[in-house]
Amino acid sequence: MQEGININPREWLDSRIAMGMKLGLENCQTLLSRLGDPHLDFPSIHVAGSNGKGSLCVQLSAAASSSGLTTGLFTSPHLVTVEERIRIDGRPIKPDDFKRHLIRVREASEQEPECSPTYFETTFLAAMLAFSEAGVERGIIETGMGGRLDATRLVDADLCFLTTISMEHSEFLGDNLREIAFEKASIHRPGVPMIAILHEDTEVREVIEGIAGSDLVWWPSQGPTSWEGYGSMVQVAAEMLEWSSSSGECVWPGRSPDFGQDWVEGVTTRISAAHNAESLAADLSEIDRPCVLLFGMTAKNDLRETLIPLVRELASGRIFQGIVYTQPISGRNRAVTIEELKVAMSSLGMGSPDAANENPIEAFVIASKMAADSDCDLIVMGSVYLVGDLFKHMVERHGWNLWEALTSH
């Protein structure tokens, strides 16, 4: 029996989750060919790196749209709904359109010989169909993981960006920074400029230089979560591609500055999707007011190492007036349980949190009250899925239009 014949397209997509992550280009090369090579209907900017990819991509998309170009933006993961991975001129595609594209991908996968794409590959293929159908003139494409063997490597890129390089996904990308840098820098195409943030590690720089050669443009390091810093990189892209605008008003739901600051009446709320040691250290360094921390993570191979920047900040007593543990309830990756988090933090010399609740909504209420009682800010940190859980709650609580709330520009 052909795979997925008795289930609807969304159920078929969800069934892809069980396949897990898989690096390699063969699946998507085959399926794109069967679909008519929609990824070649427009030029793309391809962005790889450990942190900041989404922030750079959304600002590139806003600038391209402001320049009059119909722009497709592909990112991952999503906060609330899978359609937000595929935006045209900043707006997530409609569910009915997404369903149509899923059906085409499924039909292509069921042709002989059958070819089963992963969840990520399926969303990428649907994005390419959506962009082609919409007459997109510029694609902005964020890698899923790595670069060399990531499905997005197949797009027709005339400009590449490499943001930060840090230890992540070592079970897939390599055991050290050199190996990870090789995988990510390999989005480079011969003759195509690649702008890369200057890395402090000499060996990492050598790897990137060895791959990109004379196409490489080093960009001064500015911190992995610098929204303004990525804005300056967009200006360079606009000049190189002769766009009429080098910026555009945009918001990156769950990740851009000031997003969610008014979620709690009387309490300034800060939202951080920092999820690895590098991004945690960067976002923690930017906190300059007393605050209560609501913290929850998804599973990591290197959980203790990831937590070290947080432990250092807590030990300093500089800024936190209280900490509440929780755990995300959505997303494809397993959450770190509160007990696992307590054990890991204890092994690093930290005591118990001030409060904990497995339900992130209830934990958010607890942390909000603590912040209000202490007359300080509230910061939510640790996982994009935790941010998504709370964002969905705010949408439902206030009756917001989800598609409007998710529109980035």
Side-chain angles (χ1 to χ4, degrees), residues 95-408:
D96 286 347
D97 291 335
F98 183 61
K99 179 180 178 181
R100 284 192 298 104
H101 300 314
L102 281 182
I103 290 172
R104 287 195 61 191
V105 174
R106 185 176 72 179
E107 290 174 345
S109 75
E110 292 172 349
Q111 294 176 22
E112 294 293 340
E114 291 191 13
C115 178
S116 296
T118 66
Y119 187 99
F120 176 80
E121 289 172 338
T122 300
T123 60
F124 168 69
L125 293 164
M128 298 303 98
L129 288 171
F131 294 169
S132 176
E133 181 180 88
V136 158
E137 300 166 280
R138 168 60 59 180
I140 310 296
I141 311 296
E142 178 189 10
T143 56
M145 182 173 61
R148 181 176 65 93
L149 297 176
D150 189 83
T152 60
R153 180 62 177 76
L154 296 170
V155 301
D156 180 21
D158 57 2
L159 178 60
C160 296
F161 279 95
L162 186 60
T163 63
T164 67
I165 303 291
S166 63
M167 287 300 301
E168 61 167 352
H169 302 302
S170 56
E171 67 273 31
F172 295 100
L173 302 181
D175 296 327
N176 55 65
L177 283 179
R178 283 179 56 87
E179 293 177 353
I180 292 174
F182 175 80
E183 293 297 326
K184 293 180 181 294
S186 292
I187 64 167
H188 171 256
R189 288 86 163 161
V192 173
M194 184 167 79
I195 301 173
I197 292 179
L198 188 66
H199 200 281
E200 62 182 11
D201 189 302
T202 302
E203 292 187 343
V204 168
R205 293 199 302 271
E206 289 175 351
V207 168
I208 297 170
E209 290 166 352
I211 291 172
S214 61
D215 295 327
L216 178 64
V217 178
W218 282 120
W219 190 260
S221 177
Q222 58 220 327
T225 59
S226 171
W227 180 263
E228 295 78 11
Y230 288 124
S232 63
M233 296 177 78
V234 174
Q235 294 177 7
V236 175
E239 293 174 5
M240 295 178 70
L241 298 172
E242 298 182 342
W243 293 349
S244 61
S245 176
S246 61
S247 65
E249 291 295 324
C250 64
V251 62
W252 191 216
R255 288 148 285 198
S256 56
D258 301 330
F259 181 86
Q261 66 176 352
D262 57 353
W263 280 5
V264 180
E265 185 176 356
V267 174
T268 298
T269 305
R270 304 182 184 196
I271 306 296
S272 165
H275 62 284
N276 55 31
E278 181 188 40
S279 56
L280 282 171
D283 283 13
L284 288 166
S285 70
E286 294 179 357
I287 301 174
D288 56 4
R289 288 168 49 84
C291 64
V292 169
L293 173 67
L294 173 60
F295 191 78
M297 300 199 77
T298 51
K300 308 285 183 187
N301 279 356
D302 55 350
L303 179 60
R304 291 181 78 257
E305 289 78 6
T306 300
L307 292 171
I308 287 174
L310 175 61
V311 169
R312 288 174 177 163
E313 188 58 57
L314 287 168
S316 74
R318 180 183 72 93
I319 206 79
F320 290 125
Q321 306 299 301
I323 182 170
V324 179
Y325 289 168
T326 190
Q327 52 196 64
I329 55 177
S330 64
R332 295 169 55 195
N333 300 328
R334 183 184 70 82
V336 173
T337 68
I338 289 173
E339 287 307 310
E340 289 172 330
L341 189 55
K342 286 181 178 178
V343 169
M345 293 292 277
S346 176
S347 72
L348 292 168
M350 289 291 102
S352 298
D354 297 283
N357 194 299
E358 293 180 355
N359 185 309
I361 310 307
E362 294 178 8
F364 182 69
V365 172
I366 294 169
S368 299
K369 186 177 186 304
M370 288 174 58
D373 291 345
S374 300
D375 191 26
C376 64
D377 293 354
L378 169 65
I379 182 165
V380 177
M381 179 177 281
S383 169
V384 68
Y385 298 124
L386 173 59
V387 174
D389 291 335
L390 298 179
F391 182 56
K392 181 180 180 181
H393 167 69
M394 297 303 294
V395 168
E396 294 171 347
R397 176 182 176 185
H398 294 286
W400 296 338
N401 179 294
L402 178 60
W403 255 244
E404 293 296 335
L406 288 171
T407 295
S408 57

